[in-house]
């Protein structure tokens, strides 16, 4: 008779059975991109911030600058000590005004937000998001503010926010022009040399260039319209030191994409834009450009690799040569699966992932992609086959899995992840239904 230990048979036959199973598991793992013989190890909690109030879908974001963590909400911006998790400062907009949008130059330790003018609500003053305010991320003090132009009627999708920041500058959208100021002093630096007949929309700042979406050309224009109805969507890059135009190119090639299509940046360097074919269409593609503005082949939202849905498009990330995305496969929600896929920007062709049999996440669903240093791609995962929220670290070049960790039970999933000393700090700012802890610091436990 064989004794039972933890519901498993013991003895020589059991050891032989377990050895056979282990050998089969090793053989199976050798055929896959990444495999762990055990469940991912829990991350240990170092500290937690208190639960915050329910977030609103406005003005949200989180950043790490030096030893300070910053979390923006629609009604306040708070700073936390990354070493302890204790709140160190809070900025509250005057009156009843709201934070509309927030961006940050983390190297310069400056956050730039937009809020309602004169501290009054838009309903009271009629001036929505009419002021740009710079906040010192080290202490929460306001260091400058600039009035902004009101976005024209019908342009709110094309010009959803009026400021971006990074690399020592803040780029402001004012009077149909792009103006850069020193991010710490607010001193004017340059006005961008826009191509003739073009109106600027979204911008994003990178170290080597400022990327912008432009509405260019067209003839179907009524008196008073800023943009013609048949204007085309262009991408452009400007010199961050002078505002000189580096290049400008239409998104759609032979098939024009109109300016009112749903479009946003995935990356500013290289320039990668996710754009619908028109309006809110499910069809569309990622459009990318080389350093001189030469367009690469588009990567369609739908192909042999699956479908990149409307809500998954901006979860993609890009490095110098590749785009990483989460195409969905399956014909109904019951059978949906997501396959992490890397595309070569120069050719538009998948280089790893992209098939049902090539599962880089071991059955879990990726809900956020993060590019970290040293060629690592970190994927925040939500439960599918497993019962935990977690993260998986992959070699971005090969797709091979390097590490897998799970968040402790009861922890809300993170929207962003920061590396701080030997810790990982998870940030939460998109929970619009239930309150969450803004930050949690985790430590990796050795196996």
């Amino acid at each position: 008779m064989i004794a039972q230990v933890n519901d498993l048979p013991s003895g020589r036959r059991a050891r032989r059975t377990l050895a056979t199973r282990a050998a089969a598991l090793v053989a199976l793992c050798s055929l896959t991109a990444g495999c762990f013989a055990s469940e991912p190890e829990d991350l240990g909690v170092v500290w937690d911030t208190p639960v915050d109030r329910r977030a609103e879908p406005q003005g949200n974001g989180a950043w790490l600058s030096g030893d300070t963590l910053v979390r923006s909400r629609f009604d306040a911006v708070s700073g936390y000590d990354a070493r302890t998790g204790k709140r160190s400062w809070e900025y509250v907009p005057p009156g009843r005004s709201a934070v509309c949008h927030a961006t940050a130059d983390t190297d310069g330790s400056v956050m730039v937000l937009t809020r309602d003018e004169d501290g009054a609500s838009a309903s009271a003053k009629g001036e929505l998001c009419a002021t740009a305010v710079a906040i010192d991320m080290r202490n929460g003090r306001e260091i400058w503010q600039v009035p902004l132009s009101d976005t024209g009627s019908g342009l709110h999708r094309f010009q959803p926010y009026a400021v971006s920041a990074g690399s020592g500058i803040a780029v402001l959208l004012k009077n149909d022009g792009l103006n850069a100021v020193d991010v710490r002093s607010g001193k004017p630096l340059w006005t961008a040399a826009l191509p003739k007949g073009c109106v600027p929309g979204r911008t994003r700042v990178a170290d080597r260039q400022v990327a912008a979406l432009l509405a260019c050309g067209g003839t179907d224009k009524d008196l008073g319209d800023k943009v013609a109805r048949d204007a085309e969507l262009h991408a452009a890059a400007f010199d961050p030191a002078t505002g000189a135009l580096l290049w400008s190119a239409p998104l759609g090639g032979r098939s024009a994409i109109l300016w009112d299509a749903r479009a946003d940046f995935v990356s500013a360097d290289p320039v990668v834009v996710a754009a619908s074919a028109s309006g809110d269409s499910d069809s569309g593609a990622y459009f990318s450009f080389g350093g001189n503005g030469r367009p690469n082949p588009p990567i369609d939202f739908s192909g042999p690799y699956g479908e990149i849905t409307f809500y998954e498009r901006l979860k993609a990330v890009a490095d110098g040569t590749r785009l990483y995305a989460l195409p969905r496969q399956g014909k109904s929600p019951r059978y949906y699966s997501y396959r992490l896929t890397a595309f070569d920007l120069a050719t538009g062709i998948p280089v790893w992932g992209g098939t049902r049999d090539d599962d880089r996440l071991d059955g879990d669903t990726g809900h956020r992609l993060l590019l970290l240093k040293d060629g690592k791609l970190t994927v925040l995962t939500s439960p599918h086959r497993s019962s935990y929220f977690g993260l998986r670290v992959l070699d971005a070049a090969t797709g091979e899995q390097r590490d897998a960790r799970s968040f402790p039970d009861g922890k809300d999933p993170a929207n962003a992840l920061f590396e701080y000393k030997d810790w990982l700090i998870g940030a939460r700012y998109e929970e619009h239904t239930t309150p969450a802890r803004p930050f949690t610091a985790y430590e990796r436990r050795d196996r």
Side-chain angles (χ1 to χ4, degrees):
M1 183 176 179
I2 298 176
Q4 299 283 327
V5 180
N6 293 328
D7 296 324
L8 294 175
S10 63
R12 184 181 305 172
R13 182 170 22 169
R15 287 194 295 272
R16 187 164 56 244
T17 300
L18 292 174
T20 302
R21 290 176 179 172
L25 179 61
V26 170
L28 177 62
C29 289
S30 67
L31 298 175
T32 61
C35 184
F36 291 86
S38 60
E39 290 289 300
E41 189 76 15
D42 267 359
L43 291 164
V45 175
V46 179
W47 54 253
D48 253 332
T49 54
V51 172
D52 201 356
R53 292 161 291 169
R54 181 172 61 88
E56 297 287 340
Q58 184 179 354
N60 293 326
W63 300 267
L64 171 66
S65 178
D67 294 323
T68 304
L69 292 157
V70 177
R71 195 265 184 114
S72 172
R73 296 170 41 90
F74 76 102
D75 59 351
V77 179
S78 302
Y80 299 82
D81 189 327
R83 295 163 293 194
T84 64
K86 294 182 178 180
R87 195 172 76 182
S88 53
W89 57 261
E90 185 171 64
Y91 168 84
V92 179
R96 297 170 60 191
S97 62
V99 176
C100 307
H101 173 72
T103 182
D105 179 357
T106 55
D107 290 337
S109 295
V110 177
M111 164 183 281
V112 185
L113 57 86
T114 59
R115 61 168 173 80
D116 300 331
E117 187 179 28
D118 296 331
S121 66
S123 60
K125 284 289 188 179
E127 295 289 345
L128 179 65
C129 310
T131 302
V133 180
I135 306 296
D136 191 323
M137 299 176 77
R138 297 170 296 193
N139 52 36
R141 294 175 184 167
E142 183 176 315
I143 52 181
W144 56 262
Q145 65 173 264
V146 174
L148 299 171
S149 304
D150 184 34
T151 299
S153 176
L155 298 182
H156 294 291
R157 171 182 291 182
F158 181 59
Q159 299 174 337
Y161 51 82
V163 62
S164 59
S167 301
I169 64 174
V171 178
L172 309 177
L173 178 63
K174 295 180 64 178
N175 300 319
D176 298 330
L178 295 178
N179 301 278
V181 301
D182 182 274
V183 77
R184 183 149 284 277
S185 69
K187 178 183 177 181
L189 296 176
W190 49 256
T191 298
L194 295 172
K196 185 178 180 179
C198 293
V199 174
R202 298 174 185 266
T203 62
R204 184 177 290 192
V205 181
D207 288 340
R208 299 188 300 177
Q209 60 191 25
V210 176
L213 292 179
L214 310 176
C216 298
T219 59
D220 186 6
K221 188 175 183 180
D222 290 336
L223 183 65
D225 285 347
K226 291 184 179 180
V227 179
R229 294 183 182 89
D230 56 344
E232 292 186 29
L233 197 59
H234 286 222
F238 300 89
D239 187 322
T242 66
L245 178 66
L246 301 177
W247 57 263
S248 175
L251 283 191
R254 292 181 179 274
S255 300
I257 295 178
L258 297 184
W259 68 276
D260 60 351
R262 180 77 68 175
D264 204 345
F265 287 106
V266 171
S267 169
D269 188 10
V271 172
V272 181
V273 179
S276 295
S278 62
D280 290 329
S281 171
D282 289 333
S283 62
Y286 294 102
F287 299 93
S288 65
F289 301 84
N292 60 357
R294 182 174 181 177
N296 295 317
I299 299 169
D300 289 337
F301 292 151
S302 181
Y305 38 81
E307 178 188 7
I308 301 169
T309 67
F310 182 87
Y311 297 102
E312 307 294 328
R313 296 176 191 176
L314 295 182
K315 292 182 180 180
V317 294
D319 57 22
T321 60
R322 291 181 179 175
L323 173 81
Y324 307 90
L326 289 164
R328 183 183 71 187
Q329 298 179 349
K331 297 182 178 180
S332 67
R334 181 178 180 182
Y335 298 104
Y336 284 159
S337 62
Y338 293 84
R339 292 294 181 260
L340 178 62
T341 306
F343 297 87
D344 188 316
L345 289 175
T347 64
I349 298 174
V351 291
W352 52 257
T355 67
R356 182 172 293 276
D357 296 331
D358 191 354
D359 183 3
R360 305 287 167 143
L361 302 180
D362 294 343
D364 285 341
T365 299
H367 69 86
R368 186 76 63 169
L369 304 183
L370 307 168
L371 277 173
L372 299 178
K373 61 184 180 180
D374 302 326
K376 294 184 297 183
L377 174 65
T378 296
V379 185
L380 300 180
T381 61
S382 55
H384 184 55
R385 293 179 185 172
S386 62
S387 58
Y388 52 82
F389 291 98
L391 63 90
R392 296 182 183 272
V393 180
L394 292 82
D395 185 309
T398 64
E400 294 182 1
Q401 198 168 148
R402 301 301 187 193
D403 194 13
R405 303 281 171 165
S406 60
F407 292 107
D409 289 342
K411 295 299 177 187
D412 296 311
N415 303 124
L417 198 67
F418 306 114
E419 288 188 327
Y420 178 75
K421 298 182 178 180
D422 294 328
W423 302 340
L424 296 173
I425 299 179
R428 305 175 189 90
Y429 50 86
E430 290 185 353
E431 285 71 31
H432 306 318
T433 55
T434 58
R437 300 178 187 275
F439 297 102
T440 302
Y442 301 99
E443 62 181 351
R444 298 178 179 89
R445 292 172 174 171
D446 295 333
R447 286 182 169 82

